[in-house]
Amino acid sequence: MTLLLAAFGIVLLGAVAQAVSGFGFALVTVPLLAALIDPRGAVVVSALTGFGLTVVAAVRERAYARWPVAAALAGTALLGLPIGLLVLARAPERALNATIAVVVLGCVALVWSGARIRTGRVGLGAVGVLVGVLTAATGTNGPPLVAAFHSLGYDPRTFRATHAATFAGTGVMGLVGFAATGQVHVDTVRTALVALPAVPLGWWLGNRLFHRVDPAVFRRIVLVGLLGSAGTALAGLAS
C-alpha cells in the first residue's frame, strides 16, 4: 500500500510539471518510480499513466499545436522504436537506471543552456528517431523535443500543445511495443491503475498554475526537481 501511495504522489508531481512547463512527466516519474520498483516497470507505468494525459492535452490544445511537425516527429520515431524495445528487453537493470539518469541530466543541461539544434527536415528526422529510441528504452523522450521546439521559437502554449500532440502519437507506439514484447505485467498494470487518478488531478492543479505563475520561473523549478530526480536514480545505482 505504501508503494502504491508513493506511485500516486510521483504521478501527481509529473502531471503538474507537464501541465505547467509542457514537459517533465516521464522525466519526473520514471527515475522516481524506478527507485520504488524496477526500471522496466517504471517505464511501463509511466507510459500507461501518461498516455491519457498527452491525448487529452493534445485534443484540448489542438488549436495551438503545430500538427505537421508533430506528425513528422511521430512518424520518424517509429524507426527508432525497435532499437529502444531491444534495449529495454536486454539491458541490465543497472544500465537502464544509469541511462535514465543520464537522459534526465541531459534534459536539464539542454533546457538550462538554451541549446539549439538544426530544425530542417534532416534535423527533425534525427530528433524523431531519437525520440522513438528513448520512448521505448527509458520513457524519458522529452529532451530532444525540448531542444527542437526551443530552436523553433515556440511560445509556451504552442510548445505545450505540440509536445502533447507528438507524445500522443509516440505513446500509442510505445504501448503497442511494450505489449508486443511482454513488458506489461499484472503488477505494473495494478500500480498504473492506482496512480491513474493522479493524472487529471495533477493536470488541473498544473493548469491553474500555468495561468498564474510565470512559465519561465516554473520551468526553473521543474529543472531543479529534475536534478533531484536524476540524483535519486544515481543513488539507486550506488546502492
Side-chain angles (χ1 to χ4, degrees):
M1 182 59 68
T2 301
L3 184 150
L4 294 175
L5 289 174
F8 183 94
I10 290 168
V11 170
L12 180 67
L13 286 174
V16 171
Q18 182 76 27
V20 178
S21 66
F23 71 100
F25 181 81
L27 290 164
V28 170
T29 57
V30 173
L32 295 178
L33 287 170
L36 289 177
I37 52 181
D38 63 280
R40 291 182 178 84
V43 171
V44 176
V45 169
S46 180
L48 288 170
T49 53
F51 177 67
L53 174 67
T54 54
V55 170
V56 171
V59 172
R60 291 186 61 179
E61 304 285 323
R62 62 188 180 277
Y64 301 94
R66 299 290 188 266
W67 287 99
V69 172
L73 288 166
T76 51
L78 189 59
L79 299 175
L81 195 72
I83 300 172
L85 290 171
L86 184 63
V87 171
L88 184 69
R90 300 289 181 86
E93 287 191 7
R94 288 178 63 83
L96 277 178
N97 275 323
T99 303
I100 289 167
V102 168
V103 170
V104 173
L105 291 173
C107 179
V108 174
L110 279 173
V111 178
W112 223 311
S113 67
R116 296 178 180 271
I117 61 174
R118 296 185 63 180
T119 51
R121 185 172 298 178
V122 174
L124 285 178
V127 168
V129 173
L130 182 56
V131 166
V133 174
L134 294 175
T135 294
T138 66
T140 52
N141 51 5
L145 292 182
V146 171
F149 294 163
H150 178 73
S151 300
L152 289 167
Y154 288 168
D155 62 86
R157 193 151 198 179
T158 301
F159 181 105
R160 185 173 76 159
T162 310
H163 202 273
T166 305
F167 276 8
T170 58
V172 172
M173 300 175 197
L175 290 176
V176 170
F178 296 146
T181 55
Q183 297 296 335
V184 181
H185 306 295
V186 173
D187 289 343
T188 55
V189 172
R190 181 174 63 247
T191 303
L193 287 175
V194 171
L196 195 59
V199 173
L201 176 59
W203 184 262
W204 178 78
L205 290 171
N207 235 8
R208 293 176 68 87
L209 287 172
F210 183 76
H211 297 291
R212 296 184 181 187
V213 179
D214 182 353
V217 172
F218 191 85
R219 183 167 291 191
R220 286 194 288 270
I221 295 172
V222 171
L223 290 174
V224 172
L226 291 179
L227 286 175
S229 182
T232 300
L234 292 173
L237 274 175
S239 61

